[in-house]
Amino acid sequence: MVDGNPGESPTEVKLDKSEFVKEESRQLRGTIASELAEGELDHFTKDNAGLLKHHGLYQQDNRDARGQKNEDGSRKGKAFMFMVRTRIPGGRVPGESLLAHLDLCDRYGNETLRITSRQGLQLHGVIKQNLQQAIREINQTQLTTFGACGDIERNVMCCPAPVRHSSVHDQLQATAADIAEELKPRTTAYAEIWLEDDQGNRENVSEFTPVDEPIYGSRYLPRKFKTGVALPEDNCVDILTYDLGLLGVVEQGELRGYNVFVGGGQGVTPSAAKTFPTIAQKMSFVDVADAVPVARAIVEVFRDHGNRSDRKTARLKYLLANWGIERFRSTVEEYLGRPMSDPHPADVTGVEDHLGWHSQGDGREYLGVYIENGRIKDDEGVRSKSALRKIVATYGMSTRMTAQQNVLLCDIEPSWKSEIDAILADHGIIPGEQRSQIRRLAMACPALPTCGLSITESERVMPGILDGLEAELSACGLDDEQITIHMTGCPNGCARPYSPDIGLVGKTAGKYTLFLGGNTLGNRLAFNFQDLVPLEEIVPTLSPVLTYYRDERDDGESFGDFCDRKGRDDLVSRLDRGGDGE
Ligand code: SF4
């Protein structure tokens, strides 16, 4: 290990400005508290906005309102608002916490609650004066926004299925919870700024008393760090797209340990050709008891050797690319203080979406409820917010969020089933298992109007794209094919668009890069099939490829495998010939 304070690399040269902001922030305080108290100010200054991410907050502005004018013709200022993200290890949300979030989105947000692609919950459209109350109320439900964003360990994901046929799923959840606990920052800034003690008093925010921050030091990590835990037959949380993935190895019904995958990542910066998406590499096998120390050692290696001079190439995947897996592994072993075993042959083999009714194995059942784009809301036709409110308030069950942005209602007595089905039907919710395969697995990031980085629409146009693709698949007789489509409004890739069968990434206004050749398992990168595809041309562009797939696929071959086998040039030539099915 290097000498000196955690986070101080012996070889660093010119630090990125954000490193100074973190270092001088008094353990993530900055001047957030004083700016929060300034009632006149509807936003935070830039450095504080960066620090706020560690507290689970993104400062945004209503993109739909940009450019609007006042009555006198002058341009209106930005309509600032905040996204408030709750960190939920393993996606486990007590029923009362879900009810509280549903109330909060009505009182302080835009009346929608969004399940994130990483099993968190997001309020959108919260104005500055309501931030503190919203955060306090979230914390009163035993959850927190602290650590949901920022240069630290983000939400630790885990397969959320409440399966009790054996202890394996509960053990995976325990590992995820233990990693989240070990890797949470120790600073007391969050409590001081946002929370009250039992007597309703805020702690003194003007007196800074540093605490030991043994993992993160004064600069925290060079960039965000993401972790997921899954089983080979069910990679529902997409672990190979994260910095750290733990794949449970089960033998004779017992969890033996984990294969450790490192260096996955989806984000790309358009202006930086040196950035790229990757799939995580298999590094080692560890016992269950070693999962937490190994996760910590990996984070510490990243802390000390990640690139702190260029945030665009700071993620762990770039360190892996520079070092190679062998050097990385031996450095992790050095930090761990002992060697790790070579990887077990186990690999990802399947993905479940957990929709519909399932036995838990303990006499009770769980129900996966499909939520389009993870957006819980009341529309004219579909009122998922009211339905969930009524069901959870009536039965008091616990809930879990999936990585495909759906809700699992857990611990259901068989005698409740028919009433729950009736409530969902009354609120216009079609059972997930009756949805088309492509819709069940589809995912889109929020993009416009809330995300400051979005270049194109994503969530708002995805339902229309799915309508078109469902019609095409039906015409081809391919309705039952498991085809995954993920869409984002910019190359940052929040909805993981670089590894599914079909990926759509916003490139410029109204136009997308279309990726093909990934797969549902999430263990292969897709290739750039067509660039600058206008929104209205997405379905017509895919149509001849789907026809080609129908006509020339091998037995049992998936769409992604077919595209990967044929390759870009062959598929493009098919496109040029108009997809005539020759
Ligand atoms: Fe925003 Fe881009 Fe992430 Fe979508 S992928 S939420 S547009 S940063």
Side-chain angles (χ1 to χ4, degrees):
M1 185 181 293
V2 294
D3 294 330
N5 293 324
E8 290 182 355
S9 165
T11 54
E12 62 197 9
V13 274
K14 187 171 177 291
L15 292 175
D16 184 89
K17 182 176 179 296
S18 63
E19 294 296 318
F20 296 104
V21 173
K22 285 182 282 182
E23 183 154 33
E24 292 161 11
S25 72
R26 297 175 304 133
Q27 298 188 319
L28 303 178
R29 285 166 177 78
T31 53
I32 292 171
S34 56
E35 287 192 359
L36 187 64
E38 281 182 44
E40 297 294 299
L41 200 65
D42 62 357
H43 65 285
F44 292 86
T45 48
K46 193 173 170 211
D47 288 352
N48 281 332
L51 294 172
L52 278 173
K53 292 178 183 173
H54 302 78
H55 299 242
L57 308 176
Y58 270 78
Q59 179 164 291
Q60 304 177 324
D61 68 288
N62 183 348
R63 301 278 303 270
D64 285 347
R66 276 191 194 174
Q68 288 180 355
K69 295 194 172 159
N70 295 305
E71 278 178 8
D72 64 2
S74 61
R75 196 173 280 268
K76 282 186 177 172
K78 282 184 176 179
F80 283 103
M81 57 188 187
F82 294 80
M83 181 270 278
V84 179
R85 181 181 296 161
T86 303
R87 185 185 76 120
I88 305 169
R92 288 177 299 155
V93 182
E96 61 271 26
S97 297
L98 182 63
L99 292 174
H101 278 80
L102 292 173
D103 288 347
L104 286 169
C105 81
D106 282 345
R107 249 183 301 140
Y108 303 128
N110 65 358
E111 300 183 6
T112 74
L113 177 66
R114 197 169 198 275
I115 305 165
T116 75
S117 58
R118 300 198 73 252
Q119 298 180 287
L121 288 171
Q122 281 178 187
L123 305 175
H124 289 268
V126 181
I127 59 171
K128 180 170 168 262
Q129 70 194 57
N130 290 332
L131 278 178
Q132 195 156 26
Q133 193 57 30
I135 290 172
R136 282 180 187 163
E137 292 187 33
I138 289 169
N139 279 266
Q140 283 162 5
T141 71
Q142 313 308 318
L143 293 176
T144 180
T145 66
F146 190 40
C149 327
D151 294 345
I152 45 185
E153 169 73 292
R154 300 285 185 94
N155 193 35
V156 180
M157 297 177 69
C158 181
C159 173
V163 176
R164 308 255 154 64
H165 299 278
S166 78
S167 62
V168 169
H169 278 81
D170 282 346
Q171 285 181 277
L172 297 190
Q173 281 283 345
T175 296
D178 289 347
I179 292 173
E181 182 64 23
E182 175 75 1
L183 297 180
K184 74 179 186 192
R186 307 295 197 266
T187 173
T188 54
Y190 181 81
E192 288 176 14
I193 295 170
W194 305 105
L195 306 183
E196 295 173 342
D197 63 19
D198 290 343
Q199 283 73 46
N201 300 313
R202 284 178 64 199
E203 296 190 20
N204 186 347
V205 297
S206 58
E207 293 293 328
F208 169 52
T209 312
V211 295
D212 188 26
E213 193 72 279
I215 297 175
Y216 294 112
S218 58
R219 290 183 197 152
Y220 296 82
L221 297 179
R223 281 285 264 127
K224 58 188 157 190
F225 189 92
K226 298 179 179 178
T227 299
V229 185
L231 288 172
E233 66 274 19
D234 184 10
N235 184 28
C236 63
V237 295
D238 225 352
I239 61 167
L240 303 183
T241 59
Y242 306 133
D243 302 277
L244 169 61
L246 296 176
L247 190 71
V249 175
V250 179
E251 289 177 346
Q252 282 89 47
E254 302 288 325
L255 183 66
R256 271 200 53 215
Y258 295 98
N259 269 343
V260 180
F261 293 79
V262 288
Q266 294 268 304
V268 172
T269 306
S271 58
K274 57 197 172 184
T275 63
F276 50 81
T278 55
I279 297 294
Q281 302 174 58
K282 199 192 263 188
M283 177 177 75
S284 59
F285 173 84
V286 298
D287 294 335
V288 175
D290 258 352
V292 173
V294 166
R296 177 172 174 154
I298 291 168
V299 164
E300 288 173 337
V301 171
F302 177 47
R303 173 196 69 198
D304 293 341
H305 299 280
N307 185 346
R308 290 183 185 266
S309 62
D310 178 6
R311 286 182 67 79
K312 294 186 183 68
T313 54
R315 288 289 297 274
L316 184 71
K317 61 185 175 182
Y318 300 108
L319 185 61
L320 260 294
N322 287 339
W323 279 9
I325 189 75
E326 292 307 325
R327 179 178 170 192
F328 183 78
R329 173 176 163 167
S330 64
T331 309
V332 171
E333 289 173 335
E334 204 180 300
Y335 277 61
L336 184 64
R338 55 187 179 278
M340 294 180 286
S341 303
D342 287 341
H344 185 279
D347 257 316
V348 169
T349 56
V351 168
E352 298 287 333
D353 63 17
H354 305 298
L355 292 175
W357 286 102
H358 304 270
S359 161
Q360 288 187 175
D362 58 0
R364 290 177 289 182
E365 304 199 22
Y366 74 91
L367 173 65
V369 180
Y370 173 80
I371 306 290
E372 187 167 68
N373 289 322
R375 185 75 68 172
I376 301 173
K377 61 182 177 178
D378 281 354
D379 271 349
E380 264 175 38
V382 179
R383 292 182 297 132
S384 55
K385 187 170 61 176
S386 293
L388 290 173
R389 206 175 244 149
K390 183 165 185 181
I391 292 169
V392 176
T394 303
Y395 299 100
M397 72 266 289
S398 63
T399 67
R400 296 189 181 187
M401 305 301 131
T402 78
Q404 289 98 13
Q405 303 176 283
N406 298 312
V407 181
L408 306 186
L409 300 172
C410 308
D411 304 320
I412 297 173
E413 298 291 345
S415 59
W416 305 345
K417 283 177 65 177
S418 56
E419 277 181 37
I420 289 172
D421 278 336
I423 293 170
L424 291 170
D426 284 349
H427 289 79
I429 296 172
I430 299 169
E433 61 275 29
Q434 291 176 22
R435 296 279 187 175
S436 66
Q437 283 292 339
I438 194 162
R439 201 172 288 263
R440 287 172 71 153
L441 294 169
M443 205 151 69
C445 76
L448 295 170
T450 52
C451 178
L453 297 176
S454 56
I455 301 165
T456 61
E457 294 282 356
S458 179
E459 178 182 339
R460 295 196 290 199
V461 299
M462 184 57 129
I465 292 171
L466 290 172
D467 289 345
L469 284 175
E470 281 176 344
E472 290 292 334
L473 288 164
S474 197
C476 291
L478 296 170
D479 316 62
D480 295 334
E481 291 305 316
Q482 200 180 52
I483 297 174
T484 315
I485 177 169
H486 293 181
M487 181 176 202
T488 60
C490 87
N492 251 346
C494 294
R496 306 188 286 274
Y498 302 109
S499 51
D501 299 285
I502 303 169
L504 289 163
V505 177
K507 179 76 179 283
T508 184
K511 293 183 179 171
Y512 298 80
T513 307
L514 173 51
F515 291 86
L516 293 177
N519 60 16
T520 303
L521 299 181
N523 62 3
R524 184 175 64 221
L525 281 180
F527 56 81
N528 180 335
F529 172 60
Q530 289 278 293
D531 220 354
L532 297 171
V533 181
L535 174 63
E536 59 279 9
E537 289 298 318
I538 289 170
V539 176
T541 303
L542 285 167
S543 175
V545 186
L546 290 168
T547 308
Y548 190 24
Y549 168 60
R550 177 199 63 193
D551 294 340
E552 301 202 16
R553 64 179 164 161
D554 290 340
D555 270 357
E557 190 175 34
S558 74
F559 180 65
D561 288 352
F562 172 81
C563 293
D564 183 58
R565 175 167 64 84
K566 291 291 184 183
R568 180 182 182 277
D569 291 348
D570 180 77
L571 296 179
V572 168
S573 70
R574 174 59 57 158
L575 203 62
D576 293 341
R577 293 206 303 275
D580 53 8
E582 283 175 4

